[in-house]
Amino acid sequence: MSKELNRTTFSTSRMMDFFSEKELITQTGHSPQDWPLVTVKELVDNSLDACEETGISPELHVKVSDDGIEVSDNGPGIPAETVARMLDFNIRVSSREAYVAPDRGAQGNALKTIIAMPFVLSEDKQGRVEIDACGVRHDIRVAVNNITQTPEIERKTEVSVKKGTSVKVFWPDSAGSLIIFRIDELLPFIKSFSLLNPHLTLTVDWFGEHIHVDATTDHWPKWIATNPTAPHWYEPEHLSRLIAGYIANGRSTGRGRTVRDFLSEFRGLSSTQKRKKVLEETGFGQMSLEALANPDGIDVPKVQALLASMKKHSDPVKPQALGVIGQTHIKKRFEELNCEMDSFEYRKVAKYDDSGLPYVLEVAFACLDDPESERRLITGVNWSVGIVNPFRKLRHESLDSILMEQRAGEYEPIAVLVHLAYPRPEYTDRGKSAIVVDHIIAGEIEKQVELVTRKWAKQRKAEERRSSARLRRKDAMQRSKSNKITVKMAVWILMVAAYLKASDNCKLPANARQIYYAIRAFVLEMTGEETLDSKYFTQTLLPDFIAEHPEETKNWDVVYDSRGHYTEPHTGEEIGLGTLNVRQYLKSIASHTKDGCMVPKIGGKLYPTKGPRNRCSALLFIEKEGFASLFEAVKLAERYDLAIMSTKGMSVVAARQLIDELCHVEAQVPLLVLHDFDKAGFSILGTLTNDTRRYAFQNSIHVIDLGIRIGDVIEYGLESEPCRLSSKDLKKLREHGATQEEVDFLSERRVELNAFSSGDFIEWIESKLQQHGVKKVVPDESILQDAYQRAVFAKRLDKLLAESSDSIWDEVTQLKPTQLSQGVSRLLEKHPDMPWDRAVNMIVVEESEVV
C-alpha cells in the first residue's frame, strides 16, 4: 500500500491577477485595442486635474511615436512618495473615489493600469513606464518571476530638472500594431480634449508632425476638485463611504478628526454658525467621526440624521456653477474640424434631475465640409472625452440609435457633440465607460439631440425620397443661418399689423399679450420655430420696437398686465400695477380734494380722499410680493402712514408712472426702496432713479435706498448664497451705487430679503424708517382747521338729518312718479356705462333743478 499524500497549501500572490489581460479589461472597461486611448485619456485627465487644483492654466504636450505615448504638463508634479505608493498593487490610491463631485473619471487606479499595460502586451513579459516629476525621474520596469509567477517591479531614480509631470509609456514591439490599428481614432481623440476644455493649450507631436491648439480663454469658471463638495449631492450610502474612508485614514495615521472638522469641508457649512446649528440638532458636539461607527461598521441612522441636518443648513448648488463649455468655444472648435458653420446648431440645458442634483447638458451639431467624411462623434462626462459613447442606455433608447433615427450614423459627414456635467455619475463598469443616466437627463439628451439634428434629418429623408435633393444639401442646411428669417426680423415685419388687429384699428387700447397672440402664429410660420416666448415678446421685443419706431407708434396705446400691487394706507384701496389700473387710479385721485382732508357724504359719514397728498408719509417700494400679510399683522402702513408698492422683480412702467406722479419732490412723499442685496436689487434701484428706454421720469423723485446693504448683512448675520458675476455685471453694480466692498462681496455671493426672519425684518424696516425720519403725517394748521370745519359740518348735518328724517320719509313715500321706467331707459340709452340706480338719481336731480 502506497504512502498517503499530505498535500501542502501553497500561497500565490493575487498581484498577478492585476497583471493579466482579463483583469485589465475589467479595470479599464476596454479591450486591448483600446488601451492606447485609455492611456491618453487617463494621463490627460490627471494632468488637467493637477493644473486646475493649483490654479494653473493647463498646457499639455502629447507625444505619440513608434516606441510609446508620452503626456507632459505644466502642473505641480507628482511627489516621489506618491509614485512609490502607486506601485503597491495591494492598495488603491485615490483622492477622488469616496467624494461625490463632478470629477473627471475618478477611476482611482488609472496609473496602476497604465503601468501594467506594457507588461501584459509584451510577449516576453517586460514592461516599462517612465515618470518625471518634482525633480526626480522614475524608471519603472516590470518583469515576471518565473518561480513565484508574480510581477517584480523595479524602480530606479535619478535627479531631473524637468518641470511639471511627464509620463511615458513604452509600447512593446509586439504591441506596436495596436497603435497602428487605432491610428485613425487616436489623433482625433487627443484633439477632442481641447474641445471639452476651453482653458487647455494642447501640443501634439504625432510621429514627428507638430500640431498646436491654443486655449480660447485663460480663465474658465468650472467646478474643480479642490472645491468643497455639496451635502445635497450625497445620499446616506455615499456619506457613509466617505466617513468610513476618513475613519480608516485616521486609524492608520493616528490623526483622527472631529465631526465639526468634517463639516467644515462641505460647501455652505464653512461658517461656525452653520456648523453649530448642525451639531446642536444632531447632538454630535465635540464628538469625533469615530462616534459614527459601531462594531458592524458605520452607524447608518446617525449618518442619515447628520446628512439631513447638513442639507437643511446649506443651499443647493445651481447648475451653472458646475461649469459651461459654452457655444462660443464649441463653435470655434467645430470650425477647426472643417465644419460648414452655417449648419452649426447648439443647445444647452442647465437644470436639476429627479433627485435634485444639478446638471449641465450641452449638445452641438454641424455638417463637415467634405461630403465624403465620416462622422465625428465627441461625447464626454465632466470634461473627459469618452473613448466610446458613454450614453449607451437612455430613457427609451441609446444615443447611437437616436442618431441612426436622425440619419446621423457613423458614415455621415457630420460632427456631433454631447457633453454632460454632473456631480454624481454612476457607471456600469470599473473603467467608467458607460454611464447610468437619470431618466430626466436621459429625456433631455434624447430631446436636444433630436433638435440639433432636426434639419439634417429632414434633409437626409428628402434625399432618400429624391436623389436630386442631395445636390441641394448644402443650400438646405445653410438657409438655417444665412437666409433664415429670425424671430426679431419676423416680429419687426408683422408688428404694425398685429397691433392694428389687437387694437381694432387703433380704436381701443391693446394689451401686450393680445398683440402677442395676434402675431405668434405668423412669426412661427415665417421662422420655422416651435415657440415664441411670451415674456421675451412683451418685455423685450415689443418695447424695443416702440422705442425704435417712435413715429409709427406715437399714437399706440399699449397696456401691460399687472405685475405687482399698490395699497393706500387707511382706505385699504389696492390696485394692480397694470397700465389701465394705474391710469384709472391717477384719474380718480385728480378729481378728489387736493389737500387730503376727509369729505362728508350723505348720512354724515366721513371718507378720506384718495392719493398721498397730506395722507402718506412715504411710498415704500419692495421688490417682492408676499410680505403683505406680515405688514398687515404689525399694521406697518397704518402706524407710519405708508403707501406700499410691491412688484415681482423689476419695476414695470406702470409702477414708475405711478411713482412719477406720487413721489415728485413737490409732493413731499419720498420713495423708500427695499431690495435684495444682489445685482438685480441694485438694478431695480437704478430703474427707480434713472430714465430707461421704456420710461423717462417727468419729475424729480426723492429716492431713499433702505437696503439691503453690506452693513445690514453683517449686523443681522444674513445667510448668503453663491453667484457668479461678469466684469460687466460688476461695472453695473458700481453705476447703481454699490461700494467697492459691496462689489467684492457680490462678485461671489448674494443675499435675499427672505433671509430675514419675520421679527428681524420688521425690526430692520422700522429702524430704517426712524433713521430717515419717517413718521405719522400731521398737516399744517390751515389744513387741520379745514378738516375740523368739515368734521363739524358733517356732525351737524348728521344731526339735522336724524331730526327730520321721519317727516322727510313720510313725504317722499307719497311720491308716485309715472313713466319712471321710460325715463331710466332713456338715460341708459344715452349713457350705456351707467347703472340703473344712478339713472334714478339723475332723474331726481333733474326734477329738483326744475323745481
Side-chain angles (χ1 to χ4, degrees), residues 307-352:
L307 181 58
S309 185
M310 291 167 68
K311 290 181 178 180
K312 176 182 175 182
H313 295 289
S314 62
D315 296 323
V317 175
K318 293 184 178 179
Q320 295 278 14
L322 300 179
V324 177
I325 299 172
Q327 179 175 359
T328 302
H329 171 78
I330 294 174
K331 190 171 184 179
K332 179 175 176 58
R333 292 292 183 246
F334 268 46
E335 288 178 7
E336 295 166 357
L337 292 176
N338 295 320
C339 290
E340 289 280 0
M341 296 315 296
D342 285 335
S343 66
F344 179 77
E345 299 282 351
Y346 169 84
R347 309 278 298 191
K348 181 191 75 177
V349 179
K351 295 181 179 178
Y352 295 92

Side-chain angles (χ1 to χ4, degrees), residues 36-103:
L37 301 173
V38 173
T39 299
V40 170
K41 174 183 170 66
E42 299 300 345
L43 293 180
V44 170
D45 280 346
N46 285 351
S47 292
L48 288 169
D49 284 337
C51 291
E52 287 178 356
E53 289 173 23
T54 50
I56 298 172
S57 295
E59 297 177 9
L60 272 59
H61 180 88
V62 181
K63 181 178 181 180
V64 180
S65 59
D66 290 328
D67 62 346
I69 297 173
E70 182 178 4
V71 176
S72 305
D73 64 48
N74 61 329
I78 304 175
E81 56 270 24
T82 301
V83 174
R85 291 175 64 200
M86 274 185 338
L87 302 181
D88 183 352
F89 282 79
N90 295 309
I91 61 172
R92 183 184 296 270
V93 179
S94 175
S95 61
R96 303 274 191 277
E97 196 179 13
Y99 295 94
V100 176
D103 293 324

Side-chain angles (χ1 to χ4, degrees), residues 61-62 287 334 427 804 841:
H61 180 88
V62 181
M287 292 184 182
F334 268 46
Y427 295 89
S804 58
N841 287 335

Side-chain angles (χ1 to χ4, degrees), residues 808-832:
I808 293 174
W809 181 249
D810 289 340
E811 182 180 339
V812 298
T813 54
Q814 301 303 314
L815 300 174
K816 304 293 183 182
T818 59
Q819 299 181 332
L820 190 56
S821 59
Q822 293 91 328
V824 170
S825 298
R826 172 180 55 81
L827 287 171
L828 293 182
E829 185 176 350
K830 186 176 180 181
H831 305 285

